[in-house]
Amino acid sequence: IKVEGIHSATIYCVAWSDDDKSVMTASGDGTCKLFAVSDSGDVAEQGTWNPAEFQLGKSFSRVPVGGNQLGCSFVGGQPLSVGLNGQMCLLPSKPSGTSDIQVITGHYAAIAGMAVDYSAKKFYTGDTDGILCEWDLMTAKPIGRLEPPEGNDDLMFVTHGGAISGLAMATKSKTMYSVGW
């Protein structure tokens, strides 16, 4: 199979579905595409997902560095992409731009700090890459990464210039403090 000109940047990954009837691509342009493959080998584009645009919450003229889609796979038949920022996206079965994308968040560096907000039923973790994550205290499921106060236009979610080494929650003011180096 040879298909050209389908992405505006490098294709970093290609994945076949379990039934060999679909191919998915992940690209540095922040998108993933789905193609149907016939028994004779003909390829037809089925649509595009935009995980980087979904995470940023707006369209962009230049892909944020963290929005580069570096990996893709079908997990239990469900399309999944992985961005440079470490975020995984469960994509809807049929490509739909930015609708119905579910971000699975977490850390990809050592966690060095944790704080609990019992009143909000949440806990927070900080890692050595300067990233803070919010979690549901009752289920331990991720809620999301916290955005830096100055914004997150690069989609890298770095809240500290260096490693986070500790977190503390001031319960009265509902303020979380972090320390790092």
Side-chain angles (χ1 to χ4, degrees), residues 33-79:
K33 294 192 178 219
L34 182 68
F35 300 87
V37 181
S38 71
D39 290 337
S40 64
D42 294 326
V43 178
E45 186 173 331
Q46 300 297 298
T48 303
W49 297 281
N50 295 297
E53 187 176 304
F54 176 79
Q55 289 179 49
L56 193 58
K58 61 183 179 184
S59 59
F60 47 79
S61 57
R62 187 169 164 233
V63 180
V65 67
N68 283 268
Q69 299 304 296
L70 302 181
C72 62
S73 185
F74 291 91
V75 179
Q78 175 99 27

Short mmCIF file of all heavy atoms in Angstrom, two decimals, residues 33-79:
data_model
loop_
_atom_site.label_atom_id
_atom_site.label_comp_id
_atom_site.label_asym_id
_atom_site.label_seq_id
_atom_site.Cartn_x
_atom_site.Cartn_y
_atom_site.Cartn_z
N LYS A 33 -5.35 9.86 11.15
CA LYS A 33 -6.31 9.58 10.07
C LYS A 33 -6.62 8.09 10.04
O LYS A 33 -5.80 7.25 10.40
CB LYS A 33 -5.75 10.03 8.73
CG LYS A 33 -5.61 11.53 8.66
CD LYS A 33 -5.35 12.01 7.25
CE LYS A 33 -5.26 13.53 7.28
NZ LYS A 33 -5.88 14.16 6.16
N LEU A 34 -7.83 7.80 9.55
CA LEU A 34 -8.28 6.42 9.41
C LEU A 34 -8.54 6.13 7.95
O LEU A 34 -9.14 6.95 7.24
CB LEU A 34 -9.57 6.20 10.22
CG LEU A 34 -10.14 4.79 10.20
CD1 LEU A 34 -9.22 3.83 10.96
CD2 LEU A 34 -11.53 4.77 10.82
N PHE A 35 -8.08 4.97 7.50
CA PHE A 35 -8.26 4.54 6.11
C PHE A 35 -8.87 3.15 6.09
O PHE A 35 -8.50 2.29 6.90
CB PHE A 35 -6.91 4.49 5.39
CG PHE A 35 -6.20 5.82 5.36
CD1 PHE A 35 -5.37 6.20 6.39
CD2 PHE A 35 -6.40 6.69 4.30
CE1 PHE A 35 -4.74 7.42 6.38
CE2 PHE A 35 -5.77 7.91 4.27
CZ PHE A 35 -4.93 8.28 5.32
N ALA A 36 -9.80 2.95 5.17
CA ALA A 36 -10.36 1.61 4.93
C ALA A 36 -9.50 0.95 3.87
O ALA A 36 -9.10 1.59 2.89
CB ALA A 36 -11.81 1.72 4.46
N VAL A 37 -9.22 -0.33 4.05
CA VAL A 37 -8.42 -1.09 3.08
C VAL A 37 -9.28 -2.24 2.57
O VAL A 37 -9.75 -3.07 3.35
CB VAL A 37 -7.13 -1.63 3.73
CG1 VAL A 37 -6.29 -2.38 2.70
CG2 VAL A 37 -6.32 -0.51 4.37
N SER A 38 -9.48 -2.27 1.26
CA SER A 38 -10.30 -3.33 0.66
C SER A 38 -9.48 -4.60 0.52
O SER A 38 -8.25 -4.59 0.64
CB SER A 38 -10.83 -2.88 -0.71
OG SER A 38 -9.77 -2.85 -1.64
N ASP A 39 -10.15 -5.70 0.23
CA ASP A 39 -9.47 -6.98 0.03
C ASP A 39 -8.49 -6.91 -1.14
O ASP A 39 -7.50 -7.62 -1.16
CB ASP A 39 -10.48 -8.10 -0.20
CG ASP A 39 -11.28 -8.42 1.06
OD1 ASP A 39 -10.78 -8.11 2.18
OD2 ASP A 39 -12.39 -8.96 0.94
N SER A 40 -8.76 -6.03 -2.10
CA SER A 40 -7.86 -5.89 -3.25
C SER A 40 -6.71 -4.92 -2.97
O SER A 40 -5.84 -4.74 -3.82
CB SER A 40 -8.65 -5.42 -4.48
OG SER A 40 -9.19 -4.13 -4.25
N GLY A 41 -6.71 -4.31 -1.78
CA GLY A 41 -5.62 -3.40 -1.42
C GLY A 41 -5.89 -1.93 -1.69
O GLY A 41 -5.02 -1.10 -1.45
N ASP A 42 -7.09 -1.60 -2.19
CA ASP A 42 -7.42 -0.20 -2.39
C ASP A 42 -7.61 0.48 -1.04
O ASP A 42 -8.16 -0.11 -0.10
CB ASP A 42 -8.71 -0.07 -3.21
CG ASP A 42 -8.54 -0.58 -4.63
OD1 ASP A 42 -7.43 -0.43 -5.18
OD2 ASP A 42 -9.52 -1.14 -5.17
N VAL A 43 -7.16 1.74 -0.96
CA VAL A 43 -7.21 2.50 0.28
C VAL A 43 -8.13 3.70 0.10
O VAL A 43 -8.02 4.43 -0.88
CB VAL A 43 -5.80 2.97 0.69
CG1 VAL A 43 -5.84 3.81 1.95
CG2 VAL A 43 -4.86 1.79 0.86
N ALA A 44 -9.03 3.92 1.06
CA ALA A 44 -9.94 5.07 1.01
C ALA A 44 -9.92 5.76 2.38
O ALA A 44 -10.13 5.12 3.41
CB ALA A 44 -11.35 4.62 0.68
N GLU A 45 -9.64 7.07 2.37
CA GLU A 45 -9.62 7.83 3.62
C GLU A 45 -11.03 7.90 4.20
O GLU A 45 -11.99 8.22 3.52
CB GLU A 45 -9.08 9.24 3.39
CG GLU A 45 -8.91 10.01 4.68
CD GLU A 45 -8.21 11.35 4.51
OE1 GLU A 45 -7.38 11.48 3.58
OE2 GLU A 45 -8.50 12.24 5.30
N GLN A 46 -11.14 7.59 5.50
CA GLN A 46 -12.42 7.59 6.21
C GLN A 46 -12.64 8.86 7.01
O GLN A 46 -13.77 9.18 7.34
CB GLN A 46 -12.51 6.38 7.14
CG GLN A 46 -12.41 5.06 6.41
CD GLN A 46 -13.55 4.85 5.45
OE1 GLN A 46 -14.70 4.79 5.86
NE2 GLN A 46 -13.25 4.77 4.17
N GLY A 47 -11.54 9.56 7.35
CA GLY A 47 -11.68 10.79 8.11
C GLY A 47 -10.47 11.09 8.96
O GLY A 47 -9.49 10.35 8.98
N THR A 48 -10.57 12.20 9.70
CA THR A 48 -9.45 12.72 10.49
C THR A 48 -9.90 13.01 11.92
O THR A 48 -10.97 13.56 12.13
CB THR A 48 -8.92 14.02 9.86
OG1 THR A 48 -8.52 13.75 8.51
CG2 THR A 48 -7.74 14.57 10.63
N TRP A 49 -9.06 12.65 12.87
CA TRP A 49 -9.22 13.08 14.25
C TRP A 49 -8.21 14.19 14.49
O TRP A 49 -7.13 14.18 13.91
CB TRP A 49 -8.91 11.96 15.23
CG TRP A 49 -9.79 10.76 15.18
CD1 TRP A 49 -11.04 10.62 15.72
CD2 TRP A 49 -9.47 9.48 14.61
NE1 TRP A 49 -11.51 9.36 15.51
CE2 TRP A 49 -10.56 8.63 14.82
CE3 TRP A 49 -8.36 8.98 13.93
CZ2 TRP A 49 -10.59 7.31 14.40
CZ3 TRP A 49 -8.38 7.68 13.50
CH2 TRP A 49 -9.48 6.86 13.74
N ASN A 50 -8.53 15.13 15.38
CA ASN A 50 -7.63 16.23 15.73
C ASN A 50 -7.35 16.26 17.23
O ASN A 50 -7.82 17.15 17.94
CB ASN A 50 -8.23 17.57 15.29
CG ASN A 50 -8.37 17.68 13.79
OD1 ASN A 50 -7.38 17.66 13.09
ND2 ASN A 50 -9.60 17.75 13.32
N PRO A 51 -6.57 15.31 17.75
CA PRO A 51 -6.34 15.28 19.19
C PRO A 51 -5.61 16.53 19.72
O PRO A 51 -5.90 17.00 20.82
CB PRO A 51 -5.51 14.03 19.41
CG PRO A 51 -5.26 13.41 18.10
CD PRO A 51 -5.99 14.17 17.06
N ALA A 52 -4.67 17.08 18.96
CA ALA A 52 -3.95 18.27 19.44
C ALA A 52 -4.90 19.47 19.56
O ALA A 52 -4.87 20.19 20.55
CB ALA A 52 -2.80 18.60 18.50
N GLU A 53 -5.75 19.65 18.57
CA GLU A 53 -6.73 20.75 18.62
C GLU A 53 -7.71 20.55 19.77
O GLU A 53 -8.08 21.49 20.46
CB GLU A 53 -7.47 20.82 17.29
CG GLU A 53 -8.38 22.02 17.15
CD GLU A 53 -9.02 22.08 15.78
OE1 GLU A 53 -8.28 22.10 14.77
OE2 GLU A 53 -10.27 22.11 15.72
N PHE A 54 -8.10 19.31 20.00
CA PHE A 54 -9.01 19.01 21.11
C PHE A 54 -8.37 19.39 22.44
O PHE A 54 -8.99 20.02 23.29
CB PHE A 54 -9.39 17.53 21.10
CG PHE A 54 -10.24 17.13 22.27
CD1 PHE A 54 -11.60 17.39 22.28
CD2 PHE A 54 -9.68 16.50 23.38
CE1 PHE A 54 -12.40 17.04 23.36
CE2 PHE A 54 -10.46 16.14 24.46
CZ PHE A 54 -11.83 16.41 24.46
N GLN A 55 -7.11 18.99 22.63
CA GLN A 55 -6.43 19.28 23.89
C GLN A 55 -6.21 20.78 24.08
O GLN A 55 -6.33 21.28 25.20
CB GLN A 55 -5.09 18.56 23.96
CG GLN A 55 -5.24 17.06 24.13
CD GLN A 55 -3.89 16.38 24.17
OE1 GLN A 55 -3.00 16.79 24.90
NE2 GLN A 55 -3.74 15.33 23.37
N LEU A 56 -5.90 21.49 23.01
CA LEU A 56 -5.65 22.93 23.11
C LEU A 56 -6.95 23.71 23.27
O LEU A 56 -6.96 24.79 23.84
CB LEU A 56 -4.89 23.41 21.87
CG LEU A 56 -4.28 24.80 21.91
CD1 LEU A 56 -3.31 24.94 23.08
CD2 LEU A 56 -3.57 25.10 20.61
N GLY A 57 -8.03 23.15 22.76
CA GLY A 57 -9.32 23.81 22.88
C GLY A 57 -9.58 24.86 21.82
O GLY A 57 -10.53 25.63 21.92
N LYS A 58 -8.74 24.90 20.81
CA LYS A 58 -8.90 25.87 19.73
C LYS A 58 -8.05 25.41 18.55
O LYS A 58 -7.16 24.59 18.68
CB LYS A 58 -8.48 27.27 20.18
CG LYS A 58 -7.03 27.37 20.60
CD LYS A 58 -6.69 28.76 21.11
CE LYS A 58 -5.22 28.82 21.54
NZ LYS A 58 -4.86 30.08 22.13
N SER A 59 -8.34 25.99 17.39
CA SER A 59 -7.53 25.66 16.22
C SER A 59 -6.21 26.42 16.29
O SER A 59 -6.06 27.36 17.06
CB SER A 59 -8.29 25.99 14.93
OG SER A 59 -8.61 27.35 14.91
N PHE A 60 -5.25 26.00 15.50
CA PHE A 60 -3.92 26.62 15.52
C PHE A 60 -3.38 26.66 14.11
O PHE A 60 -3.76 25.86 13.26
CB PHE A 60 -2.96 25.85 16.45
CG PHE A 60 -2.99 24.35 16.25
CD1 PHE A 60 -2.33 23.75 15.20
CD2 PHE A 60 -3.72 23.55 17.11
CE1 PHE A 60 -2.37 22.38 15.01
CE2 PHE A 60 -3.77 22.17 16.94
CZ PHE A 60 -3.09 21.59 15.88
N SER A 61 -2.46 27.60 13.88
CA SER A 61 -1.82 27.67 12.56
C SER A 61 -0.53 26.86 12.56
O SER A 61 -0.09 26.38 11.53
CB SER A 61 -1.54 29.12 12.17
OG SER A 61 -0.75 29.74 13.14
N ARG A 62 0.08 26.71 13.73
CA ARG A 62 1.30 25.92 13.88
C ARG A 62 1.08 24.94 15.03
O ARG A 62 0.64 25.31 16.10
CB ARG A 62 2.47 26.86 14.20
CG ARG A 62 3.78 26.17 14.21
CD ARG A 62 4.93 27.18 14.26
NE ARG A 62 6.12 26.46 14.65
CZ ARG A 62 6.89 26.79 15.65
NH1 ARG A 62 6.63 27.86 16.35
NH2 ARG A 62 7.93 26.07 15.95
N VAL A 63 1.40 23.69 14.80
CA VAL A 63 1.15 22.65 15.79
C VAL A 63 1.97 22.91 17.05
O VAL A 63 3.19 23.08 16.97
CB VAL A 63 1.51 21.25 15.23
CG1 VAL A 63 1.26 20.17 16.26
CG2 VAL A 63 0.76 20.96 13.97
N PRO A 64 1.33 22.92 18.22
CA PRO A 64 2.09 23.02 19.46
C PRO A 64 3.00 21.80 19.60
O PRO A 64 2.60 20.70 19.22
CB PRO A 64 1.02 23.01 20.55
CG PRO A 64 -0.27 23.27 19.85
CD PRO A 64 -0.10 22.84 18.44
N VAL A 65 4.19 22.00 20.11
CA VAL A 65 5.16 20.90 20.18
C VAL A 65 4.57 19.67 20.86
O VAL A 65 4.76 18.54 20.41
CB VAL A 65 6.49 21.35 20.83
CG1 VAL A 65 6.33 21.69 22.30
CG2 VAL A 65 7.56 20.29 20.66
N GLY A 66 3.82 19.86 21.94
CA GLY A 66 3.23 18.72 22.65
C GLY A 66 2.11 18.05 21.89
O GLY A 66 1.69 16.95 22.23
N GLY A 67 1.61 18.70 20.84
CA GLY A 67 0.50 18.16 20.06
C GLY A 67 0.91 17.20 18.97
O GLY A 67 0.05 16.58 18.33
N ASN A 68 2.22 17.05 18.72
CA ASN A 68 2.68 16.08 17.73
C ASN A 68 2.19 14.69 18.15
O ASN A 68 2.40 14.27 19.29
CB ASN A 68 4.21 16.07 17.67
CG ASN A 68 4.77 17.23 16.92
OD1 ASN A 68 4.99 17.12 15.72
ND2 ASN A 68 5.01 18.34 17.60
N GLN A 69 1.53 13.99 17.27
CA GLN A 69 1.03 12.65 17.56
C GLN A 69 2.09 11.65 17.12
O GLN A 69 2.38 11.51 15.93
CB GLN A 69 -0.31 12.40 16.86
CG GLN A 69 -1.40 13.35 17.30
CD GLN A 69 -1.63 13.32 18.79
OE1 GLN A 69 -2.02 12.30 19.36
NE2 GLN A 69 -1.38 14.44 19.45
N LEU A 70 2.71 10.96 18.10
CA LEU A 70 3.86 10.10 17.83
C LEU A 70 3.52 8.62 17.76
O LEU A 70 4.32 7.84 17.26
CB LEU A 70 4.93 10.31 18.90
CG LEU A 70 5.45 11.72 19.05
CD1 LEU A 70 6.53 11.77 20.13
CD2 LEU A 70 5.99 12.25 17.74
N GLY A 71 2.38 8.23 18.29
CA GLY A 71 2.03 6.82 18.31
C GLY A 71 0.55 6.62 18.09
O GLY A 71 -0.25 7.52 18.34
N CYS A 72 0.19 5.43 17.62
CA CYS A 72 -1.22 5.09 17.45
C CYS A 72 -1.37 3.58 17.50
O CYS A 72 -0.42 2.85 17.23
CB CYS A 72 -1.79 5.67 16.16
SG CYS A 72 -1.05 5.07 14.63
N SER A 73 -2.56 3.16 17.84
CA SER A 73 -2.85 1.73 17.91
C SER A 73 -4.36 1.55 17.98
O SER A 73 -5.10 2.51 18.17
CB SER A 73 -2.20 1.13 19.16
OG SER A 73 -2.39 -0.28 19.17
N PHE A 74 -4.79 0.32 17.82
CA PHE A 74 -6.18 -0.05 18.08
C PHE A 74 -6.15 -0.90 19.35
O PHE A 74 -5.49 -1.93 19.38
CB PHE A 74 -6.76 -0.85 16.92
CG PHE A 74 -6.96 -0.04 15.67
CD1 PHE A 74 -5.96 0.05 14.71
CD2 PHE A 74 -8.15 0.64 15.44
CE1 PHE A 74 -6.15 0.80 13.56
CE2 PHE A 74 -8.35 1.39 14.29
CZ PHE A 74 -7.33 1.47 13.36
N VAL A 75 -6.84 -0.46 20.39
CA VAL A 75 -6.85 -1.16 21.67
C VAL A 75 -8.26 -1.69 21.88
O VAL A 75 -9.19 -0.91 22.07
CB VAL A 75 -6.43 -0.23 22.82
CG1 VAL A 75 -6.48 -0.97 24.14
CG2 VAL A 75 -5.04 0.34 22.56
N GLY A 76 -8.42 -2.99 21.77
CA GLY A 76 -9.76 -3.57 21.85
C GLY A 76 -10.67 -3.03 20.76
O GLY A 76 -11.85 -2.84 20.97
N GLY A 77 -10.09 -2.74 19.61
CA GLY A 77 -10.85 -2.18 18.49
C GLY A 77 -11.00 -0.67 18.53
O GLY A 77 -11.44 -0.05 17.58
N GLN A 78 -10.63 -0.05 19.65
CA GLN A 78 -10.76 1.41 19.82
C GLN A 78 -9.47 2.10 19.37
O GLN A 78 -8.39 1.75 19.81
CB GLN A 78 -11.01 1.72 21.30
CG GLN A 78 -11.06 3.17 21.63
CD GLN A 78 -12.46 3.69 21.76
OE1 GLN A 78 -13.37 2.94 22.08
NE2 GLN A 78 -12.64 4.95 21.48
N PRO A 79 -9.58 3.11 18.49
CA PRO A 79 -8.38 3.86 18.08
C PRO A 79 -7.81 4.66 19.25
O PRO A 79 -8.56 5.25 20.04
CB PRO A 79 -8.89 4.80 16.99
CG PRO A 79 -10.23 4.30 16.60
CD PRO A 79 -10.77 3.57 17.77
#
